[in-house]
C-alpha cells in the first residue's frame, strides 16, 4: 500500500515531527567517534553501515572484487536486553544482516558478546540461533560472561561483496527506491515493525537481493532503515554527499494499518533505501517484486541538499544537509 497527505498543515506538521524526533536527533551523538578518531574514509570506516576490510594477500586496502569483505557491529540497549532477551538476540542478528545487505554483501557469519545471568544468556542465544537460521548465516561464536548485574549484548557481522553499495556512490540524477516488507505488525512496546511470522522462511533470500542488484549495477548505494526511521536513515544516506531528495509519500510503500507518523519513525524488519542509476530503477524494483516485496521509486536525488516530503502537490522540508549534519562524522 502507498499513502498520501492532502492537508498542507498536516504535511508541515509531519515534517516538524520528523525533524525534532528523538530517534533522528540521537544520531548526532555519533560525532563523538570523529572527535576521538578523526576523519574516516566512510568506505573503510567509520561512516557507512559497514566497513570494507582488506582481505587480499599482503594488501593494505582492498585488493579486488573477490576480496571485498564487509565488517559491522551492533550494541543493544541494556534496558531492551533486560526486558526481552530473546528479542534482543533476534535484533542483534537482524541489525547486522541488514547492515551487511545494505553494503551489497552476502552475510557469512555472526559473532557475539553476552554479559548477564545464565537465564538471560540462554534466551539471547536462543534468539540469535533462531534468527541465524532464518537468515541462513552462521553463528560462529563469541564471548560469554555470566554475572547478575546489568546485562550487555553486542554482535558483529562479516560478509563478502562482489560490488560494494557505498553512500559515497550517491549522485544527483539517481532514482531513490524504497523496498520494504509491509506484511507484519508493530510491537506495542517499541517502534519495531516485525515480519518474522509472515516471512521467516523467505528472509534469507530477501536480504541477498541487494547483493544481486549491486553485482548487476542496478543499485549503487543503499542504507537499511533502522533506529533513525525512514527519513532519518535517508538523511544519513545523503550525509556524505550533501545531496537532497524529495520523497513522494503517495508512492511510498506503507503498511495498511500503520500510521504514516509511525511508519516513518519505526525500525522495520526489512526496509531499504536504494539509489539506482538513471534508467535502471525498474530493474532494481523488479528484483524485489519478484520476491513478493513492495518497492517503488519515490524521488530523484538532486543537488539541493534538502531532504523533503511531497504529497498532494505540496512539499515540506525536513532536513537541510547543507547546514545540518545527522551523525556529524567527519570526512
Amino acid at each position: 500500500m502507498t499513502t498520501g497527505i492532502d492537508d498542507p498543515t498536516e504535511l508541515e506538521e509531519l515534517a516538524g515531527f520528523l525533524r525534532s524526533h528523538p530517534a533522528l536527533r540521537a544520531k548526532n551523538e555519533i560525532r563523538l567517534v570523529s572527535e576521538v578518531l578523526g576523519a574516516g574514509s566512510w568506505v573503510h570506516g567509520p561512516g557507512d553501515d559497514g566497513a570494507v576490510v582488506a582481505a587480499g594477500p599482503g594488501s593494505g586496502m582492498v585488493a579486488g572484487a573477490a576480496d571485498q569483505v564487509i565488517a559491522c557491529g551492533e550494541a543493544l540497549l541494556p534496558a531492551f536486553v533486560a526486558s526481552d532477551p530473546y528479542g534482543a538476540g533476534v535484533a542483534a542478528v537482524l541489525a547486522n544482516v541488514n547492515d551487511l545487505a545494505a553494503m551489497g554483501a552476502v552475510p557469512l557469519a555472526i559473532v557475539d558478546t553476552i554479559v548477564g545471568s545464565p537465564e538471560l544468556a540462554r534466551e539471547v542465544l536462543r534468539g540469535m540461533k533462531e534468527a541465524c537460521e532464518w537468515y541462513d548465516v552462521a553463528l560462529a561464536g563469541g564471548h560469554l560472561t555470566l554475572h547478575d548485574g546489568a546485562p550487555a549484548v553486542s554482535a558483529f557481522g562479516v560478509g563478502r561483496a562482489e560490488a560494494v553499495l557505498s553512500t559515497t556512490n550517491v549522485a544527483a540524477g539517481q532514482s531513490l527506491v524504497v523496498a520494504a516488507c509491509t506484511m507484519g505488525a508493530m510491537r506495542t512496546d517499541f517502534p519495531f515493525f516485525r515480519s518474522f511470522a509472515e516471512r521467516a522462511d523467505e528472509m534469507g533470500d530477501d536480504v541477498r537481493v541487494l547483493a544481486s542488484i549491486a553485482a548487476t549495477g542496478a543499485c549503487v548505494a543503499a542504507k537499511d532503515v533502522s533506529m533513525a526511521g525512514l527519513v532519518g536513515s535517508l538523511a544519513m544516506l545523503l550525509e556524505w554527499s550533501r545531496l537532497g531528495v524529495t520523497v513522494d509519500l503517495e508512492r511510498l510503500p506503507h503498511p495498511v494499518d500503520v500510521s504514516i507518523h509511525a511508519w516513518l519513525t519505526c525500525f522495520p524488519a526489512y526496509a531499504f533505501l536504494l539509489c539506482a542509476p538513471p534508467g535502471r530503477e525498474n530493474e532494481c524494483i523488479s528484483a524485489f517484486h519478484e520476491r513478493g516485496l513492495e518497492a517503488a521509486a519515490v524521488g530523484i536525488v538532486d543537488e539541493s541538499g534538502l531532504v523533503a516530503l511531497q504529497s498532494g502537490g505540496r512539499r515540506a522540508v525536513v532536513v537541510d544537509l547543507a547546514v545540518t549534519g545527522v551523525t556529524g562524522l567527519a570526512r
Side-chain angles (χ1 to χ4, degrees), residues 6-297:
D6 295 326
D7 186 340
T9 302
E10 186 179 352
L11 185 63
E12 288 290 348
E13 184 275 330
L14 175 61
F17 169 78
L18 295 171
R19 191 181 307 119
S20 61
H21 198 275
L24 174 59
R25 298 177 66 179
K27 290 298 180 180
N28 195 249
E29 297 171 359
I30 299 174
R31 69 173 55 248
L32 181 150
V33 175
S34 288
E35 291 171 1
V36 177
L37 301 182
S41 74
W42 284 55
V43 175
H44 305 290
D48 229 321
D49 278 334
V52 180
V53 180
S59 69
M61 276 297 176
V62 178
D67 299 312
Q68 292 183 112
V69 173
I70 311 298
C72 59
E74 295 287 339
L76 281 296
L77 190 68
F80 177 39
V81 176
S83 65
D84 185 3
Y86 169 82
V90 171
V93 174
L94 176 148
N96 276 285
V97 168
N98 282 356
D99 279 349
L100 290 168
M103 294 295 294
V106 173
L108 299 177
I110 301 290
V111 295
D112 60 74
T113 62
I114 302 171
V115 178
S117 68
E119 295 76 19
L120 180 137
R122 287 180 185 277
E123 282 299 287
V124 171
L125 285 170
R126 186 171 70 88
M128 288 184 174
K129 178 178 181 291
E130 190 161 354
C132 282
E133 291 171 352
W134 296 338
Y135 288 112
D136 190 22
V137 61
L139 185 56
H143 172 83
L144 172 64
T145 295
L146 297 180
H147 84 147
D148 293 325
V153 171
S154 296
F156 310 89
V158 62
R160 187 176 294 277
E162 180 179 338
V164 174
L165 299 177
S166 171
T167 57
T168 61
N169 293 334
V170 178
Q174 294 169 352
S175 290
L176 174 67
V177 172
V178 174
C181 177
T182 58
M183 299 177 290
M186 194 77 74
R187 281 185 66 132
T188 58
D189 61 340
F190 187 75
F192 179 75
F193 186 82
R194 53 191 175 193
S195 304
F196 309 129
E198 293 76 11
R199 287 194 73 85
D201 294 337
E202 308 290 337
M203 289 162 56
D205 289 334
D206 288 347
V207 296
R208 287 162 172 80
V209 171
L210 283 88
S212 68
I213 57 176
T216 65
C219 177
V220 296
K223 185 168 282 291
D224 67 310
V225 178
S226 57
M227 285 299 298
L230 191 147
V231 175
S233 298
L234 175 58
M236 293 169 68
L237 173 67
L238 299 171
E239 184 175 17
W240 185 89
S241 64
R242 294 294 196 270
L243 294 171
V245 71
T246 297
V247 177
D248 187 344
L249 294 180
E250 296 173 21
R251 298 182 60 83
L252 182 71
H254 172 225
V256 64
D257 56 352
V258 176
S259 73
I260 189 63
H261 287 65
W263 180 241
L264 292 179
T265 53
C266 79
F267 182 167
Y270 188 95
F272 291 90
L273 306 161
L274 310 109
C275 291
R280 304 290 300 274
E281 52 276 343
N282 288 338
E283 184 181 345
C284 179
I285 291 167
S286 294
F288 296 96
H289 285 175
E290 288 170 3
R291 294 203 51 74
L293 297 162
E294 288 200 49

